[in-house]
Amino acid sequence: MHEKPFIHLFETSEGKYCYDVNTDCILKVSETEYSYLKEVRGSNKDILPEPPTIELLKKHGYLKADKVQKTEHPDTHLLKYHCANKVEGIILQVTQNCNLRCEYCAYSGGYKNRVHTNKRMSKETALQAIDFLIDHSKDCSQINIGFYGGEPLLEFDLIKECVNYSIERIEGKIIHFSLTTNGTLLTEEVMDFFVKHKVLLTISLDGPEEVHDKNRKFANSEKGSFAVVMNNLRKLQKKYPVYFKKNVSYNAVLETENYNIVQDFFDNTPIFKNAALMPTLVTDVNSNKEIKKSEQFLIENQYSYFLTCLHIAERLSKKKTSNFESSQIISLGQSRKGKIGRQRWKLPEKWHHGGPCIPGIMRLFIDVDGNFYPCEKVSEQCTAMRIGNLTDGYDLERVNQLLNVEKRRNGKCFNCWAYSECKMCIGSISIDDTEEELDKKYAAMRIRVEEEFKDYCVLKSLGIDFEMGLLDEAI
């Protein structure tokens, strides 16, 4: 019996394509080639008439049947080295408290992983965390220190201590400071300090007043926070216009409605002109209830994305598009960038699906008590996610387990065409996901990857150069 090529076939308005899994290449194929590959992929016959071009593709290394045979992340044997020398940044949970009570917040009680408490990080713990970063980032020329909550500005004095201590202690490295805030506590003292130290500031703002205030209310009150946030933003823009333009971005948490309303708000409010926007959906990871997107929401989102693609392809004026989809378009460009001319020969026998970064290296999350987690997205209530602490350092065995999360799938991933492009990691998985729920998540991931492939191929056929960085310039 012949070996079936390990491929995935898809079509767009611009043609027919074959994703060759072994080489990680997308090939544009003819109607004849597509029909043959579709037939041979689903056939158990020993011999099928082979078009000459198929034989040529095989001679050039395509259409192999090889698959991964054993799960092991390629960085597994380097874990000890990475954890000792290559920690790129830490995120300090300076408090578990917040002055708001947002309905969809991970701390709101609607999720299994976090709850609001009065716990705060001590100065000793915070400075010990910075010392840990210094000692474990020897091979990094740049490092990142982020501040997280709850609402981190409730602990502004501690943040100042951390920034000043870092500048005093860290030599020979560029330090990037960042913070995500609800924007209600941006006093002039905070603004002055952040501008002085070039802190990258992300403001959580969900849209116009009626949308924002629906969820983002002050604690023990029905009063919304929109007016306070906007007033603070205007003060910051007026006092520090250059900083405001370069260092301030926005995170809009989208519910499954009001897409166009939120988009119009950011597009047509002058203070947000050319601002960096990061719209995110309310997450259902670790949620106590299922969160579904309405059909209207999906239509509005997809139409906006479609218009942005038309602009990128120079088929539509930028005036008719939204800045709301820029992060999605940039992500699309990055997904295949750098792969032309760097194809592999075949899949290794021992490997791991794409998705996991090395836990606790890029974004080591340190909670108020000094415990380590892979990043700020995972569940603090799940001991399996805890990868060490400031006293004992990394638990390398636990890091290994989380890095090799594919082992939980018991070989199911080996037959998946999206193996290299998989985006599933421990931040995408709920603590109590069943095998059936995991299957659904992986299936949804494959759909997203195929849609990315289709959009990539269409834009590339229309002249978009993903390799030269022109996509970023167009946006």
Side-chain angles (χ1 to χ4, degrees):
M1 187 178 294
H2 71 279
E3 290 187 302
K4 299 178 184 178
F6 196 14
I7 58 175
H8 179 66
L9 302 172
F10 62 94
E11 303 177 52
T12 76
S13 59
E14 297 299 310
K16 299 183 184 297
Y17 298 86
C18 168
Y19 172 61
D20 188 69
V21 182
N22 271 278
T23 60
D24 191 24
C25 288
I26 299 176
L27 309 171
K28 190 171 185 179
V29 295
S30 68
E31 182 77 47
T32 301
E33 293 161 344
Y34 188 87
S35 298
Y36 170 81
L37 291 172
K38 188 174 182 179
E39 183 178 357
V40 77
R41 187 188 58 181
S43 173
N44 289 318
K45 297 177 183 178
D46 289 330
I47 299 174
L48 286 171
E50 187 172 273
T53 50
I54 295 295
E55 184 180 351
L56 186 61
L57 285 173
K58 288 182 176 180
K59 284 183 178 179
H60 282 83
Y62 300 109
L63 307 181
K64 290 186 285 289
D66 301 71
K67 295 180 180 179
V68 173
Q69 302 297 316
K70 182 179 179 181
T71 298
E72 184 176 276
H73 196 284
D75 284 315
T76 300
H77 68 290
L78 295 172
L79 282 183
K80 187 175 181 179
Y81 167 74
H82 279 289
C83 290
N85 302 288
K86 301 199 69 163
V87 180
E88 298 176 22
I90 56 174
I91 301 173
L92 302 179
Q93 186 190 52
V94 293
T95 179
Q96 290 183 350
N97 205 350
C98 186
N99 61 328
L100 300 186
R101 289 296 182 269
C102 305
E103 292 291 331
Y104 48 66
C105 177
Y107 289 86
S108 65
Y111 290 79
K112 305 179 183 73
N113 56 333
R114 290 178 178 143
V115 291
H116 284 294
T117 77
N118 290 321
K119 278 188 172 184
R120 56 190 293 270
M121 182 175 280
S122 68
K123 175 182 174 181
E124 293 73 23
T125 298
L127 301 189
Q128 187 181 356
I130 293 168
D131 286 339
F132 183 89
L133 175 62
I134 294 170
D135 292 340
H136 294 77
S137 61
K138 302 179 187 69
D139 288 356
C140 301
S141 59
Q142 302 187 42
I143 54 176
N144 304 286
I145 300 176
F147 302 99
Y148 194 81
E151 169 49 50
L153 287 182
L154 288 172
E155 300 296 332
F156 178 56
D157 287 341
L158 177 60
I159 291 171
K160 287 195 296 183
E161 292 264 13
C162 290
V163 170
N164 291 330
Y165 183 77
S166 300
I167 293 171
E168 179 185 327
R169 287 274 289 116
I170 298 172
E171 298 179 351
K173 299 180 189 295
I174 297 172
I175 315 169
H176 300 286
F177 298 106
S178 62
L179 179 142
T180 299
T181 174
N182 60 39
T184 61
L185 301 176
L186 284 173
T187 63
E188 289 209 24
E189 180 189 5
V190 172
M191 294 177 191
D192 294 344
F193 185 81
F194 283 1
V195 171
K196 179 181 178 180
H197 297 289
K198 300 179 181 177
V199 176
L200 298 172
L201 193 60
T202 300
I203 308 292
S204 297
L205 184 65
D206 292 349
E209 188 168 13
E210 67 273 18
V211 174
H212 180 91
D213 284 352
K214 176 185 174 185
N215 289 301
R216 294 189 178 270
K217 297 180 175 68
F218 285 97
N220 303 314
S221 167
E222 288 300 310
K223 181 183 177 183
S225 57
F226 178 83
V228 175
V229 177
M230 290 301 294
N231 185 49
N232 289 340
L233 288 177
R234 293 187 187 99
K235 287 180 181 178
L236 181 59
Q237 184 191 40
K238 183 177 181 180
K239 189 172 185 180
Y240 297 110
V242 175
Y243 171 87
F244 187 84
K245 183 178 181 180
K246 289 186 175 181
N247 287 58
V248 179
S249 60
Y250 302 90
N251 173 44
V253 178
L254 303 176
E255 292 192 286
T256 55
E257 53 189 22
N258 299 323
Y259 186 91
N260 279 348
I261 295 173
V262 176
Q263 182 187 60
D264 290 344
F265 169 74
F266 282 106
D267 285 346
N268 299 311
T269 305
I271 197 171
F272 304 118
K273 184 178 180 182
N274 298 321
L277 303 173
M278 293 172 284
T280 57
L281 287 173
V282 176
T283 181
D284 59 357
V285 177
N286 293 311
S287 176
N288 290 321
K289 62 180 181 180
E290 185 179 4
I291 299 172
K292 294 183 178 179
K293 306 181 190 78
S294 69
E295 184 177 355
Q296 184 63 27
F297 180 93
L298 292 171
I299 291 172
E300 291 172 358
N301 170 236
Q302 290 167 2
Y303 183 64
S304 174
Y305 176 69
F306 170 67
L307 293 180
T308 305
C309 287
L310 287 179
H311 162 64
I312 297 301
E314 299 182 347
R315 302 299 199 270
L316 192 68
S317 165
K318 185 172 178 60
K319 293 180 180 179
K320 296 182 179 180
T321 66
S322 171
N323 195 34
F324 215 49
E325 300 298 334
S326 59
S327 60
Q328 189 175 350
I329 295 290
I330 291 172
S331 175
L332 168 65
Q334 293 296 327
S335 67
R336 299 299 299 171
K337 187 175 181 180
K339 296 194 174 186
I340 295 178
R342 295 184 180 180
Q343 67 190 59
R344 58 180 176 242
W345 179 248
K346 67 175 183 177
L347 288 165
E349 287 190 13
K350 184 192 297 182
W351 212 28
H352 194 287
H353 71 57
C357 59
I358 301 177
I361 299 300
M362 291 179 61
R363 302 173 63 84
L364 175 62
F365 181 63
I366 305 177
D367 74 6
V368 289
D369 296 317
N371 295 310
F372 293 175
Y373 297 87
C375 69
E376 74 280 10
K377 296 180 181 179
V378 305
S379 171
E380 296 161 50
Q381 301 299 311
C382 180
T383 56
M385 295 295 176
R386 194 172 296 173
I387 59 172
N389 57 64
L390 285 170
T391 302
D392 303 319
Y394 284 104
D395 181 339
L396 291 177
E397 184 178 345
R398 186 66 55 78
V399 175
N400 188 343
Q401 290 171 356
L402 298 184
L403 177 64
N404 286 279
V405 66
E406 185 195 315
K407 289 186 177 179
R408 183 176 173 182
R409 299 290 287 159
N410 296 317
K412 283 187 177 182
C413 295
F414 297 157
N415 294 314
C416 177
W417 64 266
Y419 194 89
S420 300
E421 303 296 314
C422 183
K423 295 172 172 59
M424 297 295 288
C425 69
I426 50 176
S428 314
I429 298 172
S430 297
I431 54 180
D432 57 354
D433 275 342
T434 64
E435 195 66 23
E436 182 181 0
E437 288 168 332
L438 284 175
D439 287 343
K440 288 180 179 179
K441 287 187 175 182
Y442 277 88
M445 178 277 302
R446 284 191 292 275
I447 292 172
R448 290 195 298 273
V449 173
E450 183 179 85
E451 291 304 311
E452 278 190 359
F453 280 6
K454 289 179 179 179
D455 294 340
Y456 170 86
C457 290
V458 170
L459 290 173
K460 195 168 186 297
S461 69
L462 295 175
I464 298 302
D465 193 331
F466 292 91
E467 297 301 312
M468 299 299 293
L470 299 182
L471 180 67
D472 296 357
E473 293 177 18
I475 293 172

